[in-house]
């Protein structure tokens, strides 16, 4: 009898324990509710109704937790030094060339092909070799355990951000997602840890020469040189770069392809520029990339039209007054590059795709904060130079080989990274 009683009492306690964090979070948020103008919030549910299928308060929390962790990381300062080095890595023209050969199979087919997964696997290959100095060959080996784990985990993170059901730990667990998440993390951790240990051993034994002028170092080598970092610190940094780098680049290149497909006259101008700069020479060099001025404007305009990171989050450390409304210190706020980029006072006819908005004269008329695809301030994107050069390499390879024709419709999904909801459905016409 006592056992049964104990069992009955323990069930609500068990659930209260699971829910406590959620309840605490809601109570904390409600402290600020009444001071902030905007859609009314209901008890317990808060803004869930308003944000359902759009963005969520939970989404904010995920970003805030990540930012908090990063802020406390001891290698934070170091990242800024690494940035320059990451930029001078040899260009990865090989991965982009593989992308072309993978797409070639579908060229001139009467059926449309979604090129989004191809771009994603190429971005993963590029980032893996730049960050870890290793190959996962995602473009060939679609069943590579690391690649599968990264993809599965990304889906779970997105679901976690947009689906309030995922915020209820017992449900998350009961539906089997917790186990799936843990397995993905295990595979990813083991993979990066193995790469780190092997690289460390090779560096220590002299099998791979330490920093030399001949061999440009990858991100992992630079981290391993920092004696203050434990292997776990290094792993966390590597994983951050992997995750911050590959989905964002995928989104950006995908939208550039889509916008080019939808704007054939712009696409032809890019192709003309590529022919002028490359001629018959296949080699991808920094010099050639710097000459692709029109292509650069196209990529910038594409990130204006669809910001790959639609929102960034901050926690206010002091009161902030905007237009006579005070937002109190401690509030979580979202800043939306997506909305800022569509301000008609700054960008007339904002839905129009017009790369000439990024001619030097036009840029000089605007405030620097009118265009923030990589965010702004101290915590802006650390990989932006690296990202921009790789975007160019991928677009140059695709467009030199294919003409893109749009098929169907695709829209930015309201997720932490603006994935095209319907992929990038195009016809590939061989040049
Ligand atoms: C087109 C591609 C990319 C876009 C649009 C993009 C955009 C962003 C944005 C908006 C942030 C948030 C900053 C904030 O909270 O204010 C960010 C952070 C970050 N990005 Fe990128 N990113 C891209 C590619 C990359 C790449 C390729 C890497 C690594 C090689 C990278 C590494 C990072 C890191 C480490 C952070 C966190 C910085 C910090 O917290 O100090 N990103 N990125």
């Amino acid at each position: 009898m006592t056992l049964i009683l104990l069992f009955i009492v323990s069930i609500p306690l068990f659930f209260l324990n699971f829910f406590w964090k959620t309840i605490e979070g809601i109570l904390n948020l409600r402290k600020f509710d009444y001071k902030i103008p905007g859609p009314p919030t209901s008890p317990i549910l808060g803004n869930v109704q308003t944000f359902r299928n759009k963005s969520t308060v939970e989404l904010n929390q995920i970003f805030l937790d990540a930012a908090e962790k990063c802020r406390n990381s001891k290698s934070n300062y170091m990242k800024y030094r690494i940035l320059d080095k990451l930029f001078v890595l040899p260009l990865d023209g090989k991965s982009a060339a593989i992308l072309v050969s993978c797409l070639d199979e579908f060229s001139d087919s009467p059926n449309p092909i979604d090129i989004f997964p191809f771009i994603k696997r190429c971005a993963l290959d590029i980032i893996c070799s730049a960050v870890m100095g290793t190959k996962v060959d995602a473009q060939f080996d679609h069943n590579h355990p690391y690649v599968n784990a990264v993809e599965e985990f990304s889906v779970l993170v997105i679901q976690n951000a947009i689906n309030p059901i995922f915020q209820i730990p017992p449900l998350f667990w009961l539906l089997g997602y917790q186990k799936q998440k843990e397995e993905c993390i295990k595979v990813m951790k083991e993979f990066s840890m193995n790469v780190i240990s092997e690289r460390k051993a090779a560096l220590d034994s002299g099998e791979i020469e330490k920093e030399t002028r001949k061999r440009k170092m990858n991100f992992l080598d630079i981290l391993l040189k920092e004696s203050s970092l434990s292997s776990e610190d290094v792993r966390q940094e590597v994983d951050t770069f992997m995750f911050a780098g590959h989905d964002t680049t995928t989104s950006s290149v995908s939208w550039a392809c889509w916008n080019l497909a939808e704007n054939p006259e712009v696409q032809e101008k890019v192709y003309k520029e590529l022919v002028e700069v490359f001629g018959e020479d296949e080699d991808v060099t920094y010099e050639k990339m710097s000459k692709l001025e029109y292509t650069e404007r196209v990529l910038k305009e594409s990130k204006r039209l669809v910001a790959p990171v639609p929102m960034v989050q901050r926690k206010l450390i002091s009161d902030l007054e905007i237009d006579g409304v005070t937002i109190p210190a401690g509030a979580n706020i979202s800043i939306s590059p997506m909305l800022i980029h569509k301000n008609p006072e700054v960008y007339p006819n904002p839905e129009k795709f017009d790369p000439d908005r990024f001619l030097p004269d036009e840029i000089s008329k605007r405030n620097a904060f009118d265009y923030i695809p990589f965010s702004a301030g101290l915590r802006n994107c650390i990989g932006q130079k690296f990202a921009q050069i790789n975007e160019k390499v991928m677009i140059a390879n695709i467009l030199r080989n294919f003409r893109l024709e749009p098929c169907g419709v695709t829209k930015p999904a309201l997720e932490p990274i603006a994935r095209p909801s319907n992929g990038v459905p195009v016809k590939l016409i061989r040049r």
Side-chain angles (χ1 to χ4, degrees):
M1 187 61 187
T2 327
L3 267 177
I4 294 173
L5 262 175
L6 261 174
F7 181 69
I8 292 171
V9 172
S10 65
I11 290 177
L13 283 176
F14 173 76
F15 276 95
L16 193 66
N17 181 36
F18 262 130
F19 280 116
W20 183 241
K21 266 211 150 145
T22 318
I23 296 170
E24 217 182 5
I26 291 168
L27 291 177
N28 276 342
L29 280 176
R30 287 197 65 80
K31 270 204 286 190
F32 299 114
D33 275 356
Y34 70 99
K35 293 186 185 169
I36 300 175
T41 58
S42 32
I44 312 252
L45 281 180
N47 270 323
V48 158
Q49 283 302 96
T50 317
F51 289 109
R52 228 157 70 93
N53 298 330
K54 293 182 190 157
S55 62
T56 63
V57 172
E58 286 83 359
L59 178 90
N60 287 359
Q61 200 53 51
I62 287 171
F63 277 98
L64 277 168
D65 288 349
E68 197 65 35
K69 254 194 201 156
C70 205
R71 193 169 297 121
N72 297 333
S73 151
K74 56 181 156 181
S75 54
N76 206 16
Y77 147 77
M78 196 181 61
K79 282 188 201 157
Y80 285 87
R81 288 195 282 131
I82 286 165
L83 176 64
D84 281 344
K85 300 205 177 169
L86 204 56
F87 180 55
V88 298
L89 280 170
L91 281 180
D92 187 356
K94 271 193 200 142
S95 299
I98 294 173
L99 169 66
V100 170
S101 63
C102 292
L103 290 176
D104 213 10
E105 214 182 297
F106 303 93
S107 63
D108 296 328
S109 154
N111 302 321
I113 159 99
D114 174 12
I115 59 173
F116 180 81
F118 294 84
I119 295 172
K120 191 171 163 86
R121 290 193 282 259
C122 178
L124 195 56
D125 272 349
I126 291 178
I127 208 102
C128 249
S129 73
V131 173
M132 296 197 265
T134 190
K135 279 188 183 316
V136 285
D137 280 336
Q139 298 188 84
F140 293 129
D141 186 358
H142 297 188
N143 288 321
H144 192 295
Y146 181 76
V147 177
N148 283 342
V150 168
E151 285 183 2
E152 246 178 67
F153 186 74
S154 304
V155 172
L156 281 173
V157 168
I158 289 162
Q159 281 305 319
N160 217 318
I162 60 176
N163 190 345
I165 296 285
F166 274 59
Q167 294 292 308
I168 302 169
L171 272 183
F172 194 70
W173 181 80
L174 274 173
L175 293 170
Y177 294 122
Q178 183 61 30
K179 191 162 177 262
Q180 196 186 345
K181 190 174 157 188
E182 278 162 15
E183 271 163 18
C184 291
I185 293 175
K186 188 168 168 267
V187 173
M188 291 187 297
K189 270 190 177 177
E190 274 175 13
F191 179 79
S192 9
M193 255 326 189
N194 279 344
V195 175
I196 292 167
S197 322
E198 280 169 21
R199 197 84 188 171
K200 195 168 184 312
L203 283 168
D204 288 347
S205 68
E207 191 188 318
I208 299 177
E209 47 192 331
K210 290 208 175 151
E211 188 179 8
T212 66
R213 287 215 181 111
K214 275 179 270 156
R215 190 178 65 84
K216 301 261 169 47
M217 293 199 298
N218 61 50
F219 180 62
L220 176 57
D221 292 348
I222 301 164
L223 287 175
L224 287 172
K225 269 189 74 214
E226 287 292 321
S227 52
S228 62
L229 294 178
S230 69
S231 295
E232 179 55 22
D233 290 335
V234 172
R235 189 195 60 74
Q236 282 184 12
E237 292 300 317
V238 163
D239 288 352
T240 303
F241 271 72
M242 290 296 305
F243 271 92
H246 93 273
D247 266 357
T248 43
T249 308
T250 304
S251 162
S252 184
V253 174
S254 298
W255 282 112
C257 286
W258 182 252
N259 289 324
L260 284 166
E262 290 233 297
N263 295 275
E265 67 300 343
V266 177
Q267 193 179 158
E268 279 319 297
K269 276 172 100 171
V270 172
Y271 180 64
K272 232 178 120 193
E273 184 178 70
L274 290 168
V275 171
E276 272 163 27
V277 171
F278 276 82
E280 292 297 305
D281 184 8
E282 295 281 317
D283 275 359
V284 175
T285 59
Y286 274 111
E287 199 200 343
K288 279 187 199 152
M289 291 301 118
S290 67
K291 288 186 186 155
L292 298 176
E293 287 175 13
Y294 186 68
T295 310
E296 188 165 320
R297 293 209 289 280
V298 166
L299 287 166
K300 283 187 173 154
E301 171 68 347
S302 188
K303 283 194 286 289
R304 180 197 67 81
L305 205 54
V306 183
V309 181
M311 281 202 292
V312 296
Q313 278 70 32
R314 292 291 185 271
K315 186 172 206 151
L316 288 183
I317 51 171
S318 53
D319 288 0
L320 173 72
E321 199 187 308
I322 301 178
D323 289 342
V325 174
T326 302
I327 307 175
N332 301 334
I333 58 161
S334 294
I335 303 155
S336 171
M338 193 76 131
L339 293 179
I340 289 172
H341 293 176
K342 299 280 176 78
N343 181 351
E345 282 174 24
V346 179
Y347 300 104
N349 199 357
E351 294 303 329
K352 187 174 178 235
F353 184 74
D354 177 8
D356 288 346
R357 296 184 205 266
F358 288 90
L359 281 166
D361 279 355
E362 293 299 314
I363 295 177
S364 66
K365 289 182 199 158
R366 296 192 291 261
N367 186 304
F369 296 117
D370 287 330
Y371 182 66
I372 51 163
F374 295 104
S375 186
L378 279 178
R379 302 308 296 258
N380 70 0
C381 175
I382 199 166
Q384 54 186 285
K385 284 186 189 171
F386 177 74
Q388 281 165 295
I389 204 89
N390 278 311
E391 284 174 74
K392 256 192 203 169
V393 174
M394 286 164 82
I395 287 293
N397 270 273
I398 297 172
L399 283 214
R400 283 179 63 223
N401 290 285
F402 308 105
R403 187 158 55 78
L404 308 175
E405 267 181 21
C407 301
V409 180
T410 196
K411 289 186 175 147
L414 271 154
E415 292 176 1
I417 309 291
R419 177 182 59 84
S421 59
N422 200 19
V424 184
V426 288
K427 273 191 193 162
L428 297 167
I429 322 282
R430 202 55 167 110
R431 294 269 190 193

